[in-house]
Amino acid sequence: MHGRLKVRTTEEERERKKKEQALKVKAYRAAMVKIQEKRLSHELDGEMLLLTSQILLRNPDVSTLWNIRRECAEQIVLKTEDLEEQQAIFETELNFSEQCLLVNPKSYNCWHHRCWILEHSPKPNWEREVQLCTKYLKMDERNFHTWDYRRYVVEKANIPKQSELDFCTEKIKVNFSNYSSWHHRSLLLPLLYPYEGEAQPKRAMSEEKLQNELEMVLTAAFTDPNDSSAWFYQRWLLGYSRQELDVCAFRCNNKHAMLAFTNPLILDAKDVAITNSEGTVIIKLTNWHSINKTKADNVWFFSLTDNAISYKEFPKEAFLEINRSDISLKKIILKTYKESLFYFKSPNQQHAFSKNVLNELQSQLESCESLLEYEPDSKWTLLTSALLMHAIDAQKYHNKSLENLEKLQKVDALRENYYKDLASRWILEKFLLNWMDSDAVPYELDLRSENLNALYYSQYLCIADKLLLPNNLTNYSSMKQLQGFSIFEY
Amino acid sequence: MSDDLPDKFDLIVIGTGFPESCIAAAASRIGKTVLHIDPHEYYGGVWASFNLESFCALLEYGNGSDIKNTKQKWYINEQLNPEMGAEVGNSNSDSETHAMAEDTVVRKPIDQQWSREKLLQQSRRFNLDLSPKILYSAGPLVQLLVSSNICRYAEFRAVDRVCTKFQNQIINVPCSRSDVFNTKDLNIVEKRLLMKFLSQCLAFGEDKTEEDTLLYRGKTFREYLQEQKVTEKIRTCVMQAIAMSTDETPFEVGIGRTQQFLGSLGRYGNTPFLFPMYGCGEIPQCFCRLCAVFGGIYCLKRNIDDIIVEADTNIANVVLEGKTIKAQHVVSAPCHIPTVLLERNVGIYGQGELVNSLSRGIFLSAEPLGSEELNSGGGGVNLLRLLADTREAILIQLSHFSGTCPKGIYLFHLTTAAQTDQPEQDLAPFVAQIFNTETDDALKLLYSAYFTIMGRKSTSSTPRVDVSTPIFCTSAPSYELDYDNAIINAREIFTKLYADAEFLPRAPDPEEIVIEGEDPRALSENSLPDDLREQLRELEKSAEHMDIEDTEGTSVIEINQVESESQQMDAE
């Protein structure tokens, strides 16, 4: 057997590892005890830094030790007036945290420690931090800690937004399967290229840029349809942002008034009044209550019993005036129904995109359709074309987009209810749009024959006298908004 | 020196090329005593890499065995022409510094930037491969290097781009997902079709009854491609660069190669290929290193006079410069079998007539091949497969990032299967495709070299193999991208030698090895990784002057010992 190498058996190796582990535990405990003792006696000195660094280099996620280091740094800095010396102390901390980042580049504590150091040091070098991020993102372009930190230091370093966008584009070129870099774009583009058109809800960015982004994101989506990051970015581009705050429904008779908004808000006593065409205030509506008795709500109720007013006192041309800085439409013309005034604006009304974007959407839709010829069951393509149709012309494509959603319920059965809910939303949107111009408004809202899986936009329904729900949705009938305007009691 | 060698080995290996080193390492690894000899003064045989000076010398004088038909040519002057330098306003003395700062001044013609002298000054920056190879990231060699743990001796660079010729242009083959995403040549539906086609290929054959598989059985890969919904450009890329096929390649082979290509994607870098840093000559040496770690003995520059097989014992007596050493088996590179042995006409395993195996060309230029886009970031390792009629060749472009040439120089390896003993003539149709000398924008060459790598091929006159022969002959490098055939060859011979032994099982890391007389269960400080050892020492030092009950720590160890002892007793 001479000259042959002997290798440990797995059992021997396991035992050796245990001993190694025990040794580490011993060393760790010893250091921790020492650290606690020193802290109790306020010895925040160089030795403390050394002790904590030995542990943190092995495991950078001990928050306590980072806190202690910060205390140390503060103490040590106090001992000198010299800025250079102070800077040197912070520099050491900065270098140390970078060593720890090499151990765990996703350590919350390390990244946070860097922020703290830079905020406290006399001469923070923000450019260097940006370069550090670039280096780390080269190693792992999906590390969201780095992206987050990058946004922070880029802001401080006054890096032009355009160059940040270019950097982000490069990262997407390397690997587009990256939620972080798409998100980074979504923050930069609206600032760099703000939307200046009229459409509501507002587009995220200028039409021209929007067109570029749509093109890019669809390329990614077509290259790998199974990667969800691109599809999510596309949905954001197509305007699935939160709806702008707006009045969506109002009704008032001689007993009470109901006012609904797209989003919840806190309504102030001074906010609302009914005026005539000359702008003279006829009635001040001051005593509003949230109908769900919450602080912020999207439906508000006002009882007129205190200062009763008869129908005859309503002006021929009545207006609802809202004095809030966060609502763009201040003066709303009211319609008359029997002995009441009302206003209604159906949800998510599509405002035309510019011609260029519309062409882009149309060509994307065509691409999707030609792709569906080859891959009729492609989930993301079906969903995207449905979303595109909805974005281009919800009315015209209503049936076709619902067909896609129906097909999706089969090919992606795990998300069946998601598609049903989306269909319900679109069906109700269309229903309310028609209702707005029908004779039934605001008397009766009959949803019984609609194929709904869930009830969205409930605040829009508060002005109807009578609401008829499909059988499967009767569990919604307890909602305050759906009690019926004429019989509603607070 | 020979006198110091033991007179008996389990295995004597002659030649330090890839298959020989592989067998030597594998034998040594399973505890066989190995003597590894090379008649040359360098490692690697026809698989070696050379600096520029040694390479020129090798081509000038030949090595008398495995490299033949050599020819080399310089296209630049011996020295930089001082008058020419003066003409563009440089004094002779600082022409060097000006050449370094050339980007800021008007670019000088290439023959004024480089001279033979200047290149040879940087001779040691070159690693010119006799047999250059490209590795599939999930190919057999990478697998072998990983499974045998030999990979720790080697370093690689991911191949930067895979190229192909399309309509007389060199284009980048979009092979990875990000390539497909970024290419401007395809519209989105085409991108989807390409991606779908590729993923279809990857899934191919998982279901043997699949309609497509049956439909194309017996047809060519080209016919299959033509029926796919892909454009001409994509078809060319797939045919030439991904499936590495020709018009005649059968469907199954083409699909197989496509799968190999795709299966190697996404492991390291943007392409499915790796290139060894500092040249392919490193690879056989990695195996030699492992062989030596397990006790193999190395002797370079030793000539073998003869090998005599004892009829009764079947033991080989290798006559090494007058001294006879006994061995159970002998493995030799094709060109190192002693002539006297061959003349006796005994059957040797793997033997054959000496033939031209590969026609090789090596070219140096100061410019990379193809557009700037193909060489962004200073160019890298680019791979281009060329076709001419029914023949094919592989071109590898290397930049200084691969550690095979100095900065500012691009090295091109061209390889094809030898047709004649005129390598230049064999390679001419391919050279014409890439270094077209007739156009003005043609790549300006600084140096070119041609040579033939010899191999053996059995013919009707080859003596029949004696089944009991203890002498085995390896194969010379064949025309292939990766090391597939070379590994098959090494494995086959190893199995003949040691039928039941495992071929290159994982080698232990240094810290797993037990030093003689040491308790294998003990925690030796020396076996800890450096950084941990240092830290533990520091921690212990800082814990030393503390009053803490470390009973807890020690008791853990004791308990473990008791536990494992009782476990051991149970096992007994």
Side-chain angles (χ1 to χ4, degrees):
Chain A
M1 291 299 280
H2 177 75
R4 278 194 65 177
L5 293 176
K6 187 178 182 327
V7 177
R8 274 184 202 87
T9 61
T10 44
E11 179 58 30
E12 286 163 350
E13 179 60 24
R14 203 175 60 87
E15 218 178 291
R16 210 177 60 90
K17 278 271 179 245
K18 261 191 187 170
K19 283 179 191 164
E20 192 181 305
Q21 192 67 31
L23 206 61
K24 280 193 208 165
V25 169
K26 186 180 153 192
Y28 174 77
R29 285 201 179 128
M32 279 307 254
V33 168
K34 177 87 181 166
I35 288 167
Q36 297 297 354
E37 279 172 358
K38 281 177 76 73
R39 184 155 189 248
L40 284 175
S41 53
H42 300 286
E43 291 173 46
L44 300 166
D45 51 12
E47 191 193 23
M48 188 67 131
L49 285 177
L50 182 72
L51 285 166
T52 50
S53 67
Q54 282 162 348
I55 295 177
L56 288 171
L57 274 174
R58 281 274 153 206
N59 173 16
D61 294 299
V62 191
S63 314
T64 313
L65 297 185
W66 287 109
N67 287 335
I68 292 173
R69 280 189 86 86
R70 282 192 279 274
E71 288 175 358
C72 281
E74 275 176 338
Q75 283 296 319
I76 297 169
V77 163
L78 282 181
K79 289 185 188 140
T80 171
E81 295 274 292
D82 186 39
L83 281 184
E84 291 293 324
E85 275 175 43
Q86 290 186 357
Q87 181 67 20
I89 294 159
F90 287 117
E91 287 290 318
T92 322
E93 274 304 278
L94 212 54
N95 291 338
F96 173 71
S97 75
E98 196 182 340
Q99 275 177 288
C100 292
L101 279 177
L102 289 174
V103 179
N104 179 11
K106 292 191 175 178
S107 165
Y108 284 92
N109 287 308
C110 280
W111 290 109
H112 173 245
H113 195 63
R114 291 187 84 80
C115 297
W116 184 87
I117 296 161
L118 291 162
E119 294 283 359
H120 285 77
S121 61
K123 278 180 278 171
N125 184 346
W126 300 105
E127 284 80 14
R128 192 183 58 190
E129 295 306 298
V130 176
Q131 279 157 20
L132 178 99
C133 290
T134 307
K135 187 172 120 193
Y136 271 70
L137 289 173
K138 194 172 180 185
M139 292 193 275
D140 177 6
E141 70 269 357
R142 306 213 288 192
N143 187 343
F144 68 84
H145 297 263
T146 324
W147 281 103
D148 227 23
Y149 184 69
R150 187 180 175 92
R151 275 188 286 276
Y152 164 71
V153 292
V154 156
E155 185 78 33
K156 296 280 189 186
N158 277 324
I159 302 285
K161 294 207 160 50
Q162 185 59 51
S163 76
E164 261 312 276
L165 186 67
D166 293 344
F167 173 80
C168 178
T169 310
E170 278 311 305
K171 286 291 150 202
I172 288 178
K173 279 186 178 172
V174 173
N175 180 8
F176 61 78
S177 176
N178 187 342
Y179 278 98
S180 299
S181 55
W182 292 117
H183 176 60
H184 201 61
R185 292 185 87 68
S186 76
L187 296 176
L188 287 167
L189 283 162
L191 298 174
L192 266 172
Y193 306 100
Y195 177 71
E196 273 151 7
E198 296 293 314
Q200 291 287 343
K202 269 191 175 175
R203 307 276 171 249
M205 64 195 80
S206 79
E207 301 263 351
E208 190 194 350
K209 275 289 145 188
L210 185 63
Q211 201 181 335
N212 288 347
E213 293 297 299
L214 281 168
E215 202 181 312
M216 174 156 130
V217 79
L218 201 71
T219 308
F222 270 50
T223 306
D224 186 355
N226 294 322
D227 186 86
S228 49
S229 66
W231 295 106
F232 273 85
Y233 184 60
Q234 191 207 33
R235 294 193 66 171
W236 177 77
L237 289 172
L238 288 181
Y240 277 72
S241 50
R242 198 182 164 84
Q243 209 172 356
E244 294 253 314
L245 181 62
D246 200 359
V247 178
C248 59
F250 171 75
R251 195 163 169 203
C252 167
N253 62 13
N254 54 7
K255 288 201 193 85
H256 54 252
M258 199 88 91
L259 178 57
F261 298 92
T262 49
N263 300 323
L265 51 76
I266 301 169
L267 198 60
D268 199 71
K270 302 184 293 283
D271 288 349
V272 191
I274 293 175
T275 61
N276 63 17
S277 50
E278 278 99 46
T280 316
V281 175
I282 309 298
I283 312 159
K284 259 191 126 44
L285 305 171
T286 46
N287 197 16
W288 291 101
H289 304 279
S290 141
I291 67 158
N292 293 308
K293 300 193 163 103
T294 52
K295 196 169 181 207
D297 201 345
N298 47 18
V299 182
W300 293 81
F301 173 80
F302 176 76
S303 179
L304 282 159
T305 42
D306 319 340
N307 46 349
I309 183 166
S310 81
Y311 168 70
K312 303 224 166 58
E313 288 174 56
F314 290 143
K316 273 216 171 76
E317 271 185 296
F319 295 86
L320 184 68
E321 274 198 21
I322 312 254
N323 294 307
R324 282 180 72 96
S325 56
D326 51 358
I327 288 181
S328 48
L329 196 59
K330 306 283 187 202
K331 198 169 180 184
I332 299 163
I333 187 157
L334 298 172
K335 289 184 185 172
T336 318
Y337 171 77
K338 288 198 176 156
E339 298 196 340
S340 70
L341 296 170
F342 76 95
Y343 167 78
F344 183 78
K345 186 183 171 198
S346 68
N348 246 352
Q349 281 186 50
Q350 293 306 310
H351 285 259
F353 284 92
S354 77
K355 209 164 178 188
N356 287 340
V357 176
L358 210 58
N359 285 344
E360 174 62 30
L361 294 179
Q362 197 72 46
S363 86
Q364 294 207 351
L365 181 60
E366 279 158 25
S367 300
C368 281
E369 276 170 354
S370 60
L371 190 64
L372 282 171
E373 283 172 32
Y374 302 114
E375 298 179 56
D377 292 342
S378 165
K379 165 191 157 178
W380 285 108
T381 323
L382 281 166
L383 181 58
T384 305
S385 50
L387 291 171
L388 283 167
M389 286 190 271
H390 191 72
I392 295 168
D393 189 339
Q395 292 301 303
K396 180 178 154 199
Y397 289 113
H398 185 69
N399 292 337
K400 230 179 138 189
S401 54
L402 288 183
E403 272 168 35
N404 277 13
L405 292 181
E406 241 164 74
K407 182 151 193 194
L408 279 162
Q409 291 167 32
K410 292 190 193 85
V411 299
D412 187 20
L414 278 175
R415 285 162 204 83
E416 186 188 348
N417 283 318
Y418 171 81
Y419 301 118
K420 280 187 179 166
D421 282 5
L422 188 57
S424 305
R425 190 186 275 270
W426 291 355
I427 289 169
L428 195 60
E429 277 175 20
K430 185 175 155 67
F431 183 90
L432 291 175
L433 193 67
N434 293 336
W435 187 65
M436 187 167 78
D437 299 325
S438 74
D439 299 339
V441 68
Y443 166 63
E444 185 187 71
L445 199 65
D446 186 356
L447 295 168
R448 282 175 302 177
S449 57
E450 300 300 317
N451 183 17
L452 297 177
N453 192 48
L455 195 65
Y456 290 96
Y457 304 119
S458 55
Q459 75 268 36
Y460 288 79
L461 314 180
C462 66
I463 62 161
D465 285 328
K466 200 159 102 193
L467 190 73
L468 300 163
L469 290 174
N471 283 336
N472 63 325
L473 296 183
T474 44
N475 56 327
Y476 282 91
S477 56
S478 61
M479 280 177 83
K480 290 267 187 187
Q481 301 74 323
L482 311 180
Q483 299 296 303
F485 176 76
S486 56
I487 55 163
F488 184 82
E489 276 177 37
Y490 188 67
Chain B
M1 286 278 277
S2 297
D3 297 332
D4 300 337
L5 286 174
D7 53 10
K8 219 172 104 190
F9 284 90
D10 291 327
L11 174 68
I12 295 179
V13 180
I14 308 162
T16 50
F18 177 79
E20 300 92 68
S21 305
C22 212
I23 296 165
S28 173
R29 177 74 184 84
I30 58 163
K32 303 292 172 190
T33 54
V34 177
L35 175 64
H36 202 169
I37 308 163
D38 199 308
H40 299 308
E41 57 185 348
Y42 50 85
Y43 277 95
V46 285
W47 307 78
S49 307
F50 294 90
N51 66 39
L52 186 58
E53 208 174 325
S54 325
F55 181 76
C56 291
L58 178 75
L59 261 70
E60 182 79 28
Y61 307 110
N63 69 357
S65 58
D66 34 30
I67 302 292
K68 285 197 174 140
N69 312 325
T70 60
K71 185 180 174 183
Q72 56 183 328
K73 187 178 172 188
W74 287 96
Y75 299 85
I76 41 173
N77 294 332
E78 176 68 42
Q79 283 172 315
L80 286 177
N81 189 335
E83 278 171 38
M84 297 285 270
E87 231 168 85
V88 288
N90 296 334
S91 72
N92 190 17
S93 58
D94 65 3
S95 64
E96 177 90 9
T97 47
H98 272 265
M100 301 290 255
E102 63 187 321
D103 286 344
T104 55
V105 297
V106 181
R107 221 182 152 79
K108 287 187 286 178
I110 277 159
D111 51 4
Q112 284 167 49
Q113 291 170 40
W114 292 99
S115 67
R116 206 161 140 181
E117 189 186 40
K118 209 175 144 190
L119 274 176
L120 285 167
Q121 271 168 5
Q122 303 202 51
S123 166
R124 288 163 67 88
R125 296 216 174 269
F126 284 94
N127 279 299
L128 302 168
D129 290 329
L130 295 183
S131 306
K133 298 275 179 198
I134 293 282
L135 280 60
Y136 279 98
S137 302
L141 183 58
V142 173
Q143 282 176 31
L144 181 64
L145 289 172
V146 171
S147 68
S148 64
N149 207 2
I150 295 174
C151 49
R152 65 198 146 116
Y153 300 126
E155 224 182 306
F156 296 90
R157 179 180 173 90
V159 169
D160 294 83
R161 278 169 198 87
V162 180
C163 307
T164 195
K165 280 275 263 196
F166 180 69
Q167 292 170 346
N168 257 332
Q169 292 269 314
I170 298 172
I171 59 162
N172 189 11
V173 174
C175 44
S176 69
R177 195 174 70 160
S178 65
D179 280 353
V180 174
F181 172 61
N182 292 321
T183 181
K184 299 258 184 298
D185 297 331
L186 309 172
N187 69 36
I188 55 171
V189 173
E190 284 173 320
K191 286 182 184 194
R192 183 72 217 111
L193 291 176
L194 175 61
M195 287 299 285
K196 192 169 185 210
F197 169 74
L198 294 177
S199 47
Q200 217 174 31
C201 286
L202 200 57
F204 222 96
E206 279 170 6
D207 179 7
K208 291 283 179 201
T209 57
E210 212 174 299
E211 206 177 310
D212 276 5
T213 326
L214 300 171
L215 200 60
Y216 294 101
R217 199 160 283 167
K219 292 195 176 175
T220 65
F221 188 65
R222 190 188 170 78
E223 285 172 298
Y224 167 72
L225 270 180
Q226 260 153 2
E227 290 188 26
Q228 303 304 308
K229 292 179 190 114
V230 289
T231 56
E232 185 56 38
K233 197 169 197 170
I234 294 180
R235 205 170 289 146
T236 308
C237 288
V238 173
M239 271 274 288
Q240 291 187 8
I242 295 179
M244 308 269 169
S245 54
T246 60
D247 287 353
E248 281 77 38
T249 306
F251 165 69
E252 288 87 350
V253 176
I255 278 284
R257 290 193 192 147
T258 309
Q259 288 180 339
Q260 185 175 21
F261 185 100
L262 298 173
S264 289
L265 266 177
R267 287 171 180 255
Y268 318 97
N270 214 22
T271 68
F273 299 114
L274 295 176
F275 181 79
M277 285 296 288
Y278 316 110
C280 295
E282 294 292 308
I283 299 291
Q285 290 191 53
C286 295
F287 287 86
C288 292
R289 237 161 270 166
L290 183 80
C291 178
V293 166
F294 282 85
I297 294 176
Y298 277 78
C299 294
L300 294 182
K301 223 177 159 185
R302 292 298 164 91
N303 278 310
I304 313 294
D305 305 328
D306 197 0
I307 305 169
I308 300 150
V309 180
E310 290 173 16
D312 48 344
T313 59
N314 215 24
I315 282 179
N317 289 287
V318 178
V319 186
L320 186 71
E321 288 170 359
K323 179 182 170 159
T324 301
I325 303 174
K326 288 182 191 299
Q328 299 283 337
H329 298 103
V330 177
V331 170
S332 173
C335 295
H336 294 323
I337 301 171
T339 330
V340 281
L341 173 66
L342 291 169
E343 280 164 359
R344 287 202 296 276
N345 228 15
V346 292
I348 295 171
Y349 185 89
Q351 186 198 348
E353 305 309 311
L354 209 55
V355 292
N356 302 311
S357 179
L358 293 176
S359 285
R360 291 272 297 113
I362 288 183
F363 310 90
L364 297 179
S365 174
E367 312 159 297
L369 192 63
S371 64
E372 221 161 277
E373 197 197 335
L374 284 177
N375 292 287
S376 56
V381 181
N382 289 5
L383 173 69
L384 172 64
R385 182 170 166 271
L386 295 162
L387 297 172
D389 297 326
T390 56
R391 296 174 50 221
E392 58 172 276
I394 293 163
L395 179 84
I396 302 169
Q397 170 189 295
L398 300 168
S399 73
H400 74 279
F401 293 115
S402 63
T404 57
C405 55
K407 200 169 178 186
I409 292 292
Y410 294 87
L411 161 61
F412 299 91
H413 283 292
L414 192 58
T415 312
T416 191
Q419 305 285 307
T420 65
D421 55 5
Q422 302 284 318
E424 187 171 8
Q425 189 188 313
D426 284 356
L427 291 168
F430 306 111
V431 171
Q433 287 183 45
I434 45 172
F435 309 128
N436 188 352
T437 45
E438 275 152 43
T439 56
D440 284 342
D441 58 346
L443 204 66
K444 302 254 183 345
L445 290 181
L446 306 176
Y447 169 80
S448 71
Y450 292 98
F451 57 92
T452 305
I453 292 179
M454 306 304 288
R456 285 189 187 277
K457 197 179 180 185
S458 70
T459 61
S460 51
S461 59
T462 310
R464 283 190 45 170
V465 181
D466 180 353
V467 281
S468 63
T469 180
I471 309 174
F472 295 79
C473 174
T474 59
S475 302
S478 63
Y479 178 77
E480 60 173 344
L481 196 62
D482 202 343
Y483 286 80
D484 303 38
N485 291 335
I487 293 171
I488 291 170
N489 181 237
R491 200 185 282 267
E492 181 192 318
I493 292 176
F494 179 81
T495 315
K496 292 268 173 204
L497 301 181
Y498 313 109
D500 300 324
E502 194 183 344
F503 181 69
L504 286 171
R506 183 180 173 278
D509 287 324
E511 62 270 20
E512 296 165 353
I513 295 167
V514 186
I515 295 157
E516 247 171 294
E518 182 193 60
D519 174 10
R521 284 175 296 164
L523 177 68
S524 148
E525 238 193 32
N526 295 327
S527 63
L528 291 174
D530 285 349
D531 61 330
L532 177 63
R533 188 165 58 202
E534 203 166 300
Q535 203 204 336
L536 278 173
R537 214 177 276 155
E538 273 175 30
L539 280 173
E540 284 214 311
K541 213 195 316 170
S542 50
E544 239 166 45
H545 23 194
M546 282 182 241
D547 285 338
I548 53 152
E549 342 88 78
D550 58 17
T551 45
E552 240 181 308
T554 35
S555 66
V556 174
I557 297 175
E558 277 161 14
I559 291 163
N560 288 341
Q561 276 170 343
V562 174
E563 261 176 8
S564 58
E565 269 163 21
S566 62
Q567 274 167 5
Q568 261 183 345
M569 287 194 300
D570 289 348
E572 281 162 19

